[in-house]
Amino acid sequence: MRKILDRLAVFFRENWRQMLVIAIAMALPSCLVFSETNRKYGYMITDTIFVVGAFFFLASLIGKWGKILMHLFFAFALLDFGLSFGSYLANCQFVSIDTFYLIMGTNKDEASEFFEFYFPLWKVLLWTASMVLLCVLYLCKRPKLCPPMGVSRVCSILFLVAAVFCFPSLKREMREWCARIIPLKYVVIARMYEPFGKVAEHRHDLPLKETSSEHPRHIVIIIGESFSKSHSSIYGYKRPTNPELSELASTGQMLVFSDVTAPAPFTHIAFKSILSFGDGNDSNWYDHDTFFDVFCQKYATRWISNQKDHGIHENAQATYAALCDTVWFACQHKDEVKSKQDGELLPAIRSFAANDSTPSITIINLMGQHEAFQWRYPSSWNYFKPEDYTDYKKHQRLNMAQYDNATRYNDHVVASIFDVYKDKEALLFYFPDHGLDLYETDPDYCGHVREPVQASWDVCCKIPFFIYVPERYKAAYPEQVEKLGRSINRPFNTGDMIYTLMQLTGWKAEGKEAGGNGLLAE
């Protein structure tokens, strides 16, 4: 026993600073995230004490290999700190499975815009300085800082006692335990990741039941990007961000729904919810029947997109697009598309609409108001200027002006798509995948949801929702249109779009009861 105590004391005396640096690297980012939410983060500290204490005990007993193990542990802790602190600086989030989906679904252009928007120079310098400081503190050798053996012996024993008292609750699941241990944390995340390609592997042959003799000829679903309801003049925003759609609403051609939410403030979860019978968060989300399992049986399906057709690995949009009969990505038609703006889709949309000889469902996926906002609209649409926003703080004005310009251009694009179908028997939907937090929950934050902050989550899930009804559709299906008009104040989540479309088209997948989820439910 004395020999073990001596080893513990020697290892503590020589390496206490390095263990302290490792503990800081492990706990600091998570504590910073919790500090933003006013939540208690004591368990983050106790978990860190337990993990470092267990490592200290093991490294002390294995002799010369203990130093090597400690250096390896520091390398993993530094990597985790870099990712976690970067995630905190970007949008106050933990590194999680959602982070993994974001990374796997992104591409070079999106990554470039992400860093441009979320990492101004001061954040880059702060992140770099923090990484360098941790390395300096870990590698710096100061013999004078080594405590006497007697003190080291007492401190090592107290440290181990503290680690025992910090032992995690036995009520926790194994996954929660592993999530606190580096590198097991990333092993758990990697095991949770399910490739989007699994959707194509799990196609289902769903028998359909006819629920109505009314079968609309054309349905168009326009899915925008990052459009916050709070910046729509249709919903009361004081700047004219929706002049063209406001005109359609005032004439009764467009229905404006007042209480619509997104399934989640993340694109990959939103798409999994909108285009399947699952809620997007299920561990086996890929095994749920999809939108295409139902409607490909009765309609020609088409996907027109200004998003990228791939990520580092794959993304949700491209995966679901591949299930359609016809797929058209702007990035694959560089000879026709000269810029990244959504207006470049209009010629292709007009061409498809003009040749729509069979019943069809068309999904149009826009870039909308995806950050960085300045790339979402042509320079000629620079309607709002930072100096117009004197009611906002100085550092907020440029982002606000650029976002509102992107929203005004999005308004024009959506209205132009509606115009393409104005003489057709078609029903057109518009809604974004989610919104953004535009300085609404923090005066210094603009961007995607700050995940642990419930107020930010709520803001990002409140979205605009419009239905454009051409005259020919009104004449053909007056009862449907009347029911939709009565539903404009009904709470609705876009994850239930599939039920609404089954009600509208008169076809239902057996065993998939719409219940009260669809907009036409009485």
Side-chain angles (χ1 to χ4, degrees):
M1 176 62 72
R2 183 177 180 81
K3 187 176 182 181
I4 292 176
L5 292 177
D6 287 342
R7 284 193 174 188
L8 292 173
V10 169
F11 193 87
F12 184 90
R13 182 174 184 271
E14 295 177 352
N15 302 290
W16 70 271
R17 285 183 301 105
Q18 285 83 354
M19 289 188 294
L20 179 61
V21 172
I22 290 172
I24 291 172
M26 290 175 58
L28 182 59
S30 296
C31 290
L32 289 172
V33 171
F34 274 130
S35 70
E36 295 282 342
T37 65
N38 296 319
R39 289 166 59 186
K40 295 180 180 180
Y41 45 87
Y43 84 89
M44 302 296 301
I45 297 174
T46 57
D47 281 359
T48 301
I49 292 173
F50 170 73
V51 171
V52 176
F55 158 77
F56 163 63
F57 182 73
L58 176 63
S60 299
L61 299 182
I62 59 176
K64 62 179 181 180
W65 294 100
K67 283 271 189 180
I68 296 174
L69 181 62
M70 185 177 66
H71 295 331
L72 185 62
F73 194 20
F74 172 71
F76 280 119
L78 185 67
L79 174 63
D80 180 60
F81 176 85
L83 292 172
S84 300
F85 189 51
S87 184
Y88 166 76
L89 290 175
N91 47 11
C92 187
Q93 292 186 13
F94 296 108
V95 173
S96 65
I97 183 60
D98 292 315
T99 310
F100 205 80
Y101 274 112
L102 174 65
I103 292 172
M104 298 303 286
T106 195
N107 53 69
K108 183 181 68 174
D109 291 341
E110 284 187 353
S112 175
E113 291 177 359
F114 177 88
F115 282 101
E116 177 184 352
F117 185 83
Y118 284 103
F119 285 95
L121 181 59
W122 73 268
K123 286 187 178 181
V124 174
L125 293 176
L126 178 59
W127 183 88
T128 304
S130 300
M131 294 288 285
V132 170
L133 180 60
L134 286 174
C135 290
V136 169
L137 291 174
Y138 182 83
L139 297 173
C140 181
K141 295 182 179 181
R142 296 290 299 274
K144 291 182 179 179
L145 294 178
C146 295
M149 278 298 294
V151 174
S152 297
R153 186 173 285 108
V154 172
C155 289
S156 62
I157 294 173
L158 291 176
F159 183 35
L160 286 180
V161 170
V164 171
F165 276 102
C166 292
F167 188 84
S169 170
L170 292 174
K171 295 180 180 179
R172 288 195 198 175
E173 295 181 1
M174 182 60 67
R175 181 180 295 176
E176 289 186 78
W177 280 37
C178 294
R180 304 261 39 90
I181 303 173
I182 303 168
L184 291 182
K185 169 182 178 179
Y186 293 95
V187 174
V188 170
I189 291 175
R191 287 181 62 85
M192 291 172 64
Y193 175 76
E194 295 289 354
F196 282 108
K198 281 200 170 186
V199 172
E201 298 172 9
H202 291 71
R203 296 304 299 273
H204 303 86
D205 183 17
L206 295 179
L208 297 187
K209 176 183 178 182
E210 188 174 20
T211 59
S212 168
S213 59
E214 294 185 340
H215 305 300
R217 190 165 181 78
H218 302 298
I219 302 290
V220 179
I221 304 168
I222 307 168
I223 304 179
E225 172 76 56
S226 303
F227 186 179
S228 288
K229 183 178 179 180
S230 60
H231 279 251
S232 170
S233 55
I234 292 176
Y235 291 98
Y237 184 54
K238 62 184 178 181
R239 291 178 172 82
T241 53
N242 293 127
E244 296 183 50
L245 294 180
S246 293
E247 177 65 23
L248 292 176
S250 68
T251 61
Q253 293 174 274
M254 187 181 80
L255 301 175
V256 177
F257 289 74
S258 64
D259 190 9
V260 177
T261 54
F266 303 105
T267 296
H268 70 94
I269 296 179
F271 270 85
K272 287 187 287 188
S273 300
I274 294 166
L275 296 175
S276 82
F277 287 97
D279 68 1
N281 286 300
D282 296 346
S283 58
N284 64 331
W285 56 267
Y286 50 84
D287 197 31
H288 286 288
D289 302 321
T290 70
F291 173 98
F292 307 96
D293 293 325
V294 178
F295 296 105
C296 281
Q297 299 184 53
K298 298 297 179 180
Y299 288 87
T301 55
R302 180 183 303 120
W303 192 288
I304 303 172
S305 178
N306 197 27
Q307 299 271 352
K308 285 291 185 179
D309 60 346
H310 65 279
I312 291 177
H313 185 216
E314 55 191 355
N315 62 41
Q317 299 95 314
T319 297
Y320 284 111
L323 304 181
C324 289
D325 300 314
T326 304
V327 181
W328 194 94
F329 277 93
C331 61
Q332 297 175 351
H333 296 265
K334 295 182 180 179
D335 55 330
E336 304 171 41
V337 178
K338 305 303 180 184
S339 72
K340 296 181 180 180
Q341 278 83 47
D342 287 330
E344 295 286 345
L345 298 181
L346 290 172
I349 294 170
R350 292 190 186 102
S351 176
F352 283 120
N355 296 288
D356 242 349
S357 58
T358 60
S360 65
I361 294 181
T362 301
I363 298 174
I364 301 172
N365 191 197
L366 305 177
M367 281 296 288
Q369 293 95 298
H370 194 285
E371 63 271 59
F373 311 134
Q374 69 271 25
W375 301 118
R376 305 285 83 87
Y377 57 92
S379 58
S380 58
W381 282 79
N382 195 29
Y383 182 87
F384 300 104
K385 307 292 193 301
E387 52 267 28
D388 299 331
Y389 293 78
T390 54
D391 50 333
Y392 287 87
K393 294 183 178 181
K394 190 172 182 179
H395 71 277
Q396 300 174 342
R397 296 171 187 173
L398 179 59
N399 276 337
M400 296 297 278
Q402 291 177 342
Y403 184 81
D404 286 350
N405 283 328
T407 301
R408 191 178 174 93
Y409 181 65
N410 179 75
D411 177 83
H412 169 70
V413 172
V414 174
S416 298
I417 297 172
F418 287 169
D419 188 64
V420 171
Y421 290 88
K422 67 179 180 180
D423 297 323
K424 289 184 173 290
E425 184 189 301
L427 190 66
L428 291 89
F429 295 82
Y430 169 79
F431 57 91
D433 55 355
H434 56 75
L436 292 179
D437 185 346
L438 299 155
Y439 304 112
E440 295 183 65
T441 63
D442 188 305
D444 295 318
Y445 182 74
C446 175
H448 270 66
V449 63
R450 296 189 295 150
E451 186 176 358
V453 183
Q454 185 60 48
S456 182
W457 188 283
D458 295 340
V459 163
C460 291
C461 285
K462 292 179 180 179
I463 56 173
F465 188 93
F466 312 133
I467 299 180
Y468 176 70
V469 189
E471 290 301 326
R472 285 187 62 184
Y473 195 93
K474 287 182 181 179
Y477 308 104
E479 187 177 341
Q480 272 193 16
V481 176
E482 183 184 349
K483 285 184 178 180
L484 286 172
R486 294 200 302 265
S487 299
I488 59 173
N489 295 316
R490 173 184 295 174
F492 179 68
N493 186 283
T494 54
D496 293 326
M497 270 298 296
I498 194 168
Y499 297 109
T500 295
L501 291 172
M502 287 195 297
Q503 293 167 347
L504 287 167
T505 60
W507 297 103
K508 184 186 78 172
E510 290 190 9
K512 306 294 183 183
E513 299 298 330
N517 296 325
L519 284 172
L520 269 67
E522 295 294 345

